[in-house]
Amino acid sequence: MLSNAELILLKFIKTKPYYAYELERLIDDRQLRQWVKISGATIYQVLDRLCQKGLLEYTFEKEGNMPQRKRYHISSKGDEIFFDSTREILQNIEPYYFNLSIGLSCRKFLEKEEFDELIEVRLKKLESFLEDFNKRFEKSKELYPTKRLIIREYLLSHYKLEEELLKKLLSKEEDINE
């Protein structure tokens, strides 16, 4: 099974060969870091790892006075693993590791008033995040009108569910620390 970063890079390279820098710009332009944990440095490491696994190949290219660069191509093995991983990730359930879960498990050590204040702060931050999330989506929607709708809805459903939970925690009259 491929990591999320490996799978997303294979996805792009499957459509056409890319330089690492082009992939980094593509990830930024499409705002993928909202839902894929991948930094600029990670891109280069993952590309190297995919080459070592035989899933990518590269050719050296030189344009004008620019330094020589690697253009990455998907290998036949990479193509096969891409489809296997896509099928696996679509059909299997993955555990969620949310920081909020840990905070909620430690709530009994806080006074109810402090806990409520912290939840209110988180709720305000979440509401602000959602506003920004929707604005960013609207901007990128012009570039990618339909492909990202399903991803947006999936992510939004998780954020909205958290928002509902936080509001529910604040509305409880009994002491949740018991």
Side-chain angles (χ1 to χ4, degrees), residues 5 10-11 20 32 41 48-49 55 59 63 65 72 83 91 94 107 139 144-146 148 156 166:
L10 277 182
K11 170 196 172 254
L32 264 62
D48 285 343
R49 189 168 58 241
L55 306 181
T59 55
E63 293 178 20
N65 293 334
Y72 295 91
F83 282 110
Q91 71 183 355
E94 70 273 8
R107 73 185 181 275
K139 286 180 186 175
Y144 320 105
T146 55
R148 301 207 31 220
L156 197 55
L166 296 176

Side-chain angles (χ1 to χ4, degrees), residues 16-170:
K16 73 174 200 168
Y18 277 100
Y19 299 118
Y21 176 73
E22 291 174 316
L23 289 165
E24 187 173 350
R25 282 191 23 229
L26 188 63
I27 287 167
D28 281 341
D29 291 347
R30 294 191 181 181
Q31 300 173 356
L32 264 62
R33 289 187 175 99
Q34 287 184 340
W35 51 276
V36 177
K37 212 174 202 180
I38 186 167
S39 68
T42 303
I43 292 169
Y44 292 88
Q45 294 166 356
V46 171
L47 289 171
D48 285 343
R49 189 168 58 241
L50 289 169
C51 287
Q52 290 170 5
K53 291 179 177 181
L55 306 181
L56 285 182
E57 299 166 344
Y58 59 87
T59 55
F60 284 107
E61 296 182 5
K62 184 166 174 51
E63 293 178 20
N65 293 334
M66 297 292 290
Q68 190 170 295
R69 300 185 292 179
K70 293 178 184 177
R71 183 177 293 276
Y72 295 91
H73 313 263
I74 194 164
S75 68
S76 57
K77 180 180 176 184
D79 201 47
E80 182 182 323
I81 298 294
F82 169 81
F83 282 110
D84 290 346
S85 292
T86 300
R87 288 179 184 108
E88 184 151 335
I89 208 166
L90 285 171
Q91 71 183 355
N92 291 322
I93 303 296
E94 70 273 8
Y96 295 119
Y97 301 103
F98 295 120
N99 294 338
L100 179 59
S101 301
I102 302 300
L104 291 174
S105 75
C106 299
R107 73 185 181 275
K108 73 177 186 175
F109 298 102
L110 299 172
E111 296 295 324
K112 182 177 179 353
E113 294 76 27
E114 182 181 10
F115 176 79
D116 287 350
E117 286 175 24
L118 295 169
I119 295 300
E120 285 174 11
V121 168
R122 185 177 180 106
L123 184 57
K124 285 179 185 165
K125 286 180 180 180
L126 179 59
E127 289 167 350
S128 176
F129 172 84
L130 285 170
E131 185 178 319
D132 185 55
F133 177 87
N134 286 319
K135 282 180 188 174
R136 281 183 280 159
F137 176 79
E138 286 304 316
K139 286 180 186 175
S140 67
K141 188 175 165 184
E142 297 165 12
L143 297 171
Y144 320 105
T146 55
K147 292 180 181 178
R148 301 207 31 220
L149 284 174
I150 195 164
I151 295 167
R152 176 190 179 266
E153 290 304 312
Y154 178 71
L155 293 172
L156 197 55
S157 68
H158 287 282
Y159 295 129
K160 288 293 191 181
L161 192 59
E162 180 178 326
E163 184 179 40
E164 286 176 32
L165 174 71
L166 296 176
K167 288 178 179 177
K168 187 176 180 179
L169 288 173
L170 290 173

